[in-house]
Amino acid sequence: MNADDHLAAFCRTLPQLRAAAGRQGLSDELAAVLADVRTGSPIADLLPRLGIPADALRGGYQSVPGLRGRPTGEVYACPWDACDRAVRRQPGGPVPDERCWVLDEPLRPGRA
């Protein structure tokens, strides 16, 4: 996996990681790791600070066979294009109030 793949895998697991960090008293350390990620530090170098082996993301994330790409229509996506997270906007509906889990920036609009 390259650095972008590591960041994408980290992003996908961030909601679960936040919950686990909260249970283990590591929320402040996770916030510090996220701050370092936002300045460009490689995530693989930061994982040990959370008690996670640096090679934990080597296998990537699990995907559903046969499902690829983004939903059709307007979507809101990662502001860095680091992962394939996409939040679909319902036709005629409000703009999703979603933020990037890693960068804490609004997702950027785009077309699928």
Side-chain angles (χ1 to χ4, degrees), residues 8-102:
F10 178 76
C11 179
R12 286 182 194 90
T13 61
L14 193 55
Q16 295 86 359
L17 188 55
R18 278 194 172 123
R23 287 190 303 270
Q24 297 187 16
L26 292 172
S27 294
D28 290 342
E29 190 61 36
L30 178 57
V33 165
L34 285 170
D36 288 345
V37 167
R38 291 174 185 137
T39 63
S41 296
I43 189 62
D45 296 346
L46 303 173
L47 290 177
R49 289 173 40 189
L50 299 170
I52 301 170
D55 65 350
L57 299 176
R58 183 175 357 136
Y61 66 100
Q62 295 296 320
S63 62
V64 178
L67 295 180
R68 296 254 184 240
R70 298 181 178 192
T72 59
E74 187 175 38
V75 295
Y76 287 76
C78 177
W80 276 3
D81 290 325
C83 73
D84 61 359
R85 179 174 176 224
V87 176
R88 184 170 188 251
R89 179 179 180 190
Q90 295 299 321
V95 172
D97 187 25
E98 295 279 339
R99 300 183 71 79
C100 172
W101 295 325
V102 173

